[in-house]
Amino acid sequence: MNTLWIMPALGCYAVSAALFVFDRAQGRTRESGYAVGMLGAGAVFHAFDLTARGFQAGNIPVANFAEALSFLAWLTALAGMVLIVRSRMTVIGAFVSPAVTLALGVSAMTMNGGRLELPAPLRSVWLPIHVTLAILGYTMFVLAASVSIVYLALESRLKSKRALGAAGDDAPSLEKLDRINYRLLGWGFMMLSLAIVSGAIWADATWGHFWSWEPKEFWSLVIWILYAGLLESRLTVGWRGRRAAALTIVLFTVLVGSFVGVNLIFPGKHGGSFG
Amino acid sequence: MDQTLFVVGVNHRTAPVAVRERLAFSEDEIVGALARLRAAAPTVNEAALISTCNRVEVVGVSSDPARAIAETLNFFATDRNVEPGAFSNAVYSYTARDAARHMFRVGASLDSMVVGEPQILGQLKLAYAQAAVARTVGMVLHRAFHKAFTVAKRVRKGTLIGHGAVSVSSAAVSLAGQIFDKLSDKTVMLMGAGKMAELTARQLKTLGIESLLITSRTFDRAVRLARELGGTAVPYDSYKPYLKMVDVLIGSVASNKPVLMAEELETVIRERRYRPMFLIDMGVPRNFDERLNAMQNVYLYDIDDLGAVVQRSIGDRKREAEKAEQIVEIELESFLKWHAGLDLTPTIKDIRYSIERLRDVELGRHRGWLAQLEPAQRERVESLTRGLTNKLLHRILSGLKQRDDETLDAAFAAEVARRLMGAELDARDAEIEDPDGEIDDVDADLDESENDDGSPGA
């Protein structure tokens, strides 16, 4: 269920998104500082919402798809802020803030009213570890895809000779975008691996087997292999730049498909069915 | 009392360099020149001298700007030893609002040869500092300069006027910055002997490129340039093995057909593991196969591509300049408002009027017994009151005018005068607005209030 914090959180995120997009459209960064601030304010309200629901559940609030999406949105907001500030690339905000707003909006609308009881086998210390790792991994892939979009836009401008004589205030270079994309993919891949391992250990402790080929597990493995391939191609052949950025976006759409699909269409242990 | 701003000089638009160079002052001549200007032009109260490659102008303050401008021009002629006819038709001069606008536009780099170039602000600051040393800056110039700096800052922050490469070599450098994150760990190779290519290599060098390879058909030239720029010369017939370490390749070889074909670079790209490569083709005919641009992570720009980037930047700057002009106008209004406020004349008139008026009223009230006096005695009463009011006036007015160093806000002075002398001024204003109106009633009020004080005539 939604708490009273959800509207202020959504509002801040939306304002942040509007400011980032407005700045981008004007080709400047004048409002970006406020946009980052609004993103942070949204994350604070959002944290109250998560905490309130977490107390009710007695664990981290990820009992169904809406809650998982909300948690993903929150981590993306935080990680996005870190990325924007550390890399000084406010252009990323024009993707992160709208994505966070959309995700939380969808989450708030699909959140059903009843209070969710976690089934006994899931009430474990492994739940926050496993879920946080998995969602952090997804967060990295969201950011990597955002960076890749920026990369492709700049690359196509340079290739087609539409480049500007002026790089904007915080305009990142292709090299920097490519490097950040690679790092984000690396982190995401590591989180995803740890999530799978922790999930397997937890499953073994609870049900006595590491792996049961349920839809979520199957798709996670597929995604893990795809991202492994993407990282591998860079390390061996040196695929970087446009090809890497395009593949990052393709893999991200597969990821979104599996996240939505597995949770809504083939709910297993991971889906919304244990509510 | 009227302190009018004026500007007089020549710039890149009105005078060719042959004229500008004859009028120019070197940096260390300026303080002395200002002292000479002060001596030669008595109507110039404040002055600063701006002398750059593109302009020589005096910004000054005078109560007689027309004469001040003429005196300044004479000074230019005698001090620079140039016959007035040689530059008189290139001279522009502005006064008051136009002078302030000109000064703000100069500071905001709107009057520059390359609109938006950043050096002019530093030059203006230098001119201000030198005038301060020469002690030719007064209140008005002080304020005008600071306003010009504010305008420049607002324009820099609020517009993109300084953005964009406006030369072919800087366009190449800007593009390198959009492809590569940092240049210090990159390798540049310069092929051939073109001037523009060399300039680009020089600019990249100043931006931190450490590894520079130079190859040229005449090896001696490559060696000479390598020594000068701090690079390594590579023989022209064996440069190709080096290509795999080159991130930026600048071509300006005189050749009828391309010196680098797409097929040749294919293996190089793979060996480089697809690390980006920026090819700058400054040769005419072109040095690099145009199919190279289609290769993975290779960016090829020829001289026309770079020219197009420059054209776009210039277009962008022109658009931004329009925004900058609006900022200038807004700040101009605020400066003129301040400047108008400097003028104490109306306030002084008000005070004088009020005091005279008080005396008239007072004498009028005692008309009765004054008429009974001997003419000589009456004369003495008149002169006593006149002396008193004049002493009072003198004290107030000289107090107001003692403000050479500090900024006494004339609006504040006017406000104080209005409070002290309100009754008289209101009465006068009412009279102006409504000549046959209530002036007598006000006088009656005035008499009553005087009576309340227990004045001697009661």
Side-chain angles (χ1 to χ4, degrees):
Chain A
M1 48 143 247
N2 288 308
T3 69
L4 56 91
W5 301 109
I6 211 73
M7 285 322 284
L10 253 180
C12 290
Y13 287 152
V15 171
S16 163
L19 289 174
F20 271 128
V21 170
F22 179 70
D23 252 9
R24 199 51 17 211
Q26 303 278 311
R28 62 177 192 209
T29 57
R30 203 196 297 169
E31 266 75 50
S32 295
Y34 300 110
V36 174
M38 290 310 285
L39 187 57
V44 170
F45 288 124
H46 197 168
F48 290 150
D49 168 68
L50 292 168
T51 313
R53 281 189 286 113
F55 269 114
Q56 281 190 355
N59 207 317
I60 59 165
V62 287
N64 56 22
F65 175 68
E67 289 201 324
L69 192 57
S70 175
F71 193 47
L72 173 61
W74 185 65
L75 285 179
T76 305
L78 292 185
M81 272 168 59
V82 171
L83 178 64
I84 290 163
V85 171
R86 275 200 48 183
S87 68
R88 295 200 188 81
M89 291 195 308
T90 54
V91 55
I92 298 298
F95 297 93
V96 169
S97 281
V100 167
T101 312
L102 182 70
L104 185 61
V106 170
S107 159
M109 279 189 293
T110 54
M111 191 83 73
N112 43 27
R115 201 181 129 167
L116 287 169
E117 283 289 338
L118 277 173
L122 294 183
R123 287 187 213 141
S124 155
V125 68
W126 284 103
L127 178 70
I129 294 173
H130 171 69
V131 169
T132 306
L133 283 169
I135 293 187
L136 261 179
Y138 289 0
T139 296
M140 297 299 144
F141 296 139
V142 172
L143 296 179
S146 307
V147 170
S148 294
I149 292 171
V150 177
Y151 184 96
L152 289 184
L154 177 59
E155 131 100 15
S156 104
R157 231 172 35 209
L158 283 166
K159 275 279 189 197
S160 63
K161 319 289 171 74
R162 283 179 294 116
L164 305 171
D169 285 349
D170 69 333
S173 60
L174 289 181
E175 190 187 19
K176 182 175 178 179
L177 289 164
D178 187 49
R179 192 180 58 227
I180 291 174
N181 184 32
Y182 177 52
R183 277 197 204 150
L184 288 167
L185 288 176
W187 280 100
F189 182 71
M190 199 179 78
M191 303 287 179
L192 188 60
S193 306
L194 291 173
I196 290 173
V197 170
S198 65
I201 295 171
W202 183 19
D204 184 50
T206 314
W207 291 293
H209 51 80
F210 289 105
W211 199 263
S212 56
W213 291 109
E214 63 147 7
K216 184 76 176 185
E217 288 173 4
F218 172 74
W219 280 105
S220 295
L221 192 64
V222 169
I223 283 162
W224 186 85
I225 291 168
L226 290 174
Y227 275 106
L230 178 55
L231 289 169
E232 147 87 11
S233 73
R234 172 187 285 263
L235 291 174
T236 54
V237 206
W239 276 9
R240 66 178 80 223
R242 185 174 58 194
R243 207 170 279 172
L247 285 172
T248 304
I249 294 168
V250 170
L251 291 204
F252 180 67
T253 57
V254 175
L255 181 73
V256 171
S258 87
F259 184 67
V260 174
V262 170
N263 280 285
L264 298 183
I265 302 166
F266 318 105
K269 284 198 282 294
H270 282 92
S273 64
F274 49 61
Chain B
M1 218 43 232
D2 190 22
Q3 298 289 323
T4 306
L5 199 64
F6 70 89
V7 173
V8 54
V10 297
N11 68 14
H12 59 98
R13 253 191 290 277
T14 65
V17 64
V19 172
R20 300 200 305 271
E21 69 189 2
R22 292 182 70 189
L23 293 172
F25 294 81
S26 72
E27 204 182 305
D28 36 291
E29 280 179 310
I30 288 188
V31 173
L34 282 170
R36 295 195 294 278
L37 171 66
R38 201 71 188 276
T43 56
V44 175
N45 298 333
E46 299 178 31
L49 181 50
I50 302 153
S51 180
T52 72
C53 317
N54 288 328
R55 70 185 65 250
V56 181
E57 37 178 67
V58 163
V59 185
V61 175
S62 169
S63 47
D64 186 354
R67 245 177 89 190
I69 287 167
E71 286 173 354
T72 307
L73 287 174
N74 278 335
F75 161 79
F76 275 142
T78 49
D79 202 77
R80 296 292 94 180
N81 199 15
V82 183
E83 58 285 11
F87 67 95
S88 57
N89 55 354
V91 167
Y92 51 84
S93 63
Y94 303 104
T95 57
R97 170 186 286 264
D98 294 334
R101 180 187 288 120
H102 176 82
M103 197 175 167
F104 296 171
R105 292 186 74 247
V106 167
S109 196
L110 289 167
D111 199 43
S112 301
M113 194 180 257
V114 176
V115 168
E117 57 88 13
Q119 282 89 7
I120 186 64
L121 182 58
Q123 289 160 338
L124 205 63
K125 283 184 174 165
L126 181 67
Y128 171 62
Q130 285 164 329
V133 170
R135 297 186 167 280
T136 54
V137 180
M139 187 169 45
V140 177
L141 264 196
H142 176 80
R143 183 74 172 219
F145 267 107
H146 279 270
K147 203 71 186 174
F149 302 151
T150 312
V151 173
K153 217 158 109 188
R154 276 194 61 188
V155 166
R156 289 259 142 216
K157 279 197 84 165
T159 74
L160 297 172
I161 198 166
H163 280 235
V166 286
S167 71
V168 167
S169 58
S170 60
V173 170
S174 159
L175 290 170
Q178 292 174 55
I179 295 169
F180 302 111
D181 189 21
K182 53 177 195 243
L183 294 172
S184 56
D185 58 353
K186 301 297 180 295
T187 298
V188 177
M189 183 186 267
L190 176 60
M191 298 172 65
K195 253 313 172 229
M196 216 167 350
E198 186 192 319
L199 187 64
T200 308
R202 272 180 204 278
Q203 285 192 25
L204 287 169
K205 191 79 192 170
T206 56
L207 286 174
I209 286 275
E210 278 182 8
S211 169
L212 174 64
L213 304 174
I214 298 170
T215 184
S216 172
R217 284 233 179 84
T218 39
F219 189 62
D220 278 354
R221 211 198 101 81
V223 170
R224 214 171 36 240
L225 200 57
R227 197 173 301 144
E228 196 193 324
L229 294 180
T232 310
V234 175
Y236 188 71
D237 47 14
S238 59
Y239 77 83
K240 284 191 175 154
Y242 291 92
L243 281 179
K244 65 169 184 277
M245 49 190 287
V246 171
D247 303 292
V248 181
L249 182 62
I250 309 170
S252 70
V253 179
S255 162
N256 286 328
K257 54 182 202 308
V259 296
L260 189 64
M261 300 306 292
E263 291 76 16
E264 291 176 281
L265 210 63
E266 222 152 72
T267 44
V268 172
I269 296 291
R270 223 169 302 126
E271 278 176 334
R272 289 175 54 78
R273 297 164 57 79
Y274 301 97
R275 273 183 290 122
M277 235 181 144
F278 182 25
L279 310 180
I280 307 168
D281 192 344
M282 289 179 164
V284 178
R286 285 176 290 172
N287 286 177
F288 304 141
D289 183 354
E290 49 185 322
R291 289 174 299 152
L292 284 162
N293 193 48
M295 296 172 75
Q296 277 277 323
N297 301 340
V298 175
Y299 305 91
L300 169 64
Y301 275 71
D302 64 31
I303 197 80
D304 280 2
D305 298 333
L306 295 171
V309 171
V310 168
Q311 282 312 312
R312 264 198 302 277
S313 300
I314 291 173
D316 288 347
R317 284 191 180 200
K318 282 199 183 119
R319 259 194 307 285
E320 293 300 313
E322 285 163 24
K323 286 190 221 163
E325 297 283 4
Q326 290 168 12
I327 295 174
V328 166
E329 290 305 315
I330 292 167
E331 294 290 336
L332 186 62
E333 286 312 317
S334 118
F335 174 75
L336 292 172
K337 206 170 151 197
W338 170 83
H339 193 255
L342 268 188
D343 196 0
L344 282 171
T345 318
T347 303
I348 290 171
K349 274 194 190 138
D350 281 355
I351 294 171
R352 185 184 298 279
Y353 172 84
S354 311
I355 292 180
E356 298 282 351
R357 175 85 197 166
L358 272 179
R359 174 168 168 267
D360 287 350
V361 167
E362 216 49 31
L363 284 176
R365 267 174 3 107
H366 300 284
R367 207 182 300 128
W369 65 267
L370 280 174
Q372 291 162 11
L373 293 176
E374 299 282 312
Q377 283 176 311
R378 207 160 55 218
E379 193 73 2
R380 286 185 64 183
V381 173
E382 290 250 341
S383 97
L384 174 81
T385 54
R386 193 181 304 117
L388 200 59
T389 50
N390 281 347
K391 277 251 154 56
L392 199 57
L393 255 176
H394 179 76
R395 187 61 68 83
I396 294 174
L397 299 191
S398 61
L400 277 180
K401 285 176 186 170
Q402 261 177 16
R403 52 182 190 97
D404 282 343
D405 287 338
E406 74 207 66
T407 313
L408 174 64
D409 190 345
F412 175 70
E415 171 67 24
V416 171
R418 183 57 72 166
R419 285 201 194 169
L420 296 178
M421 317 286 181
E424 286 75 25
L425 297 177
D426 290 345
R428 181 194 57 181
D429 295 347
E431 190 174 19
I432 292 163
E433 279 163 23
D434 183 16
D436 27 47
E438 303 155 337
I439 186 83
D440 293 334
D441 299 343
V442 176
D443 267 2
D445 286 351
L446 205 67
D447 288 350
E448 269 175 36
S449 66
E450 292 291 327
N451 284 338
D452 290 344
D453 288 347
S455 53

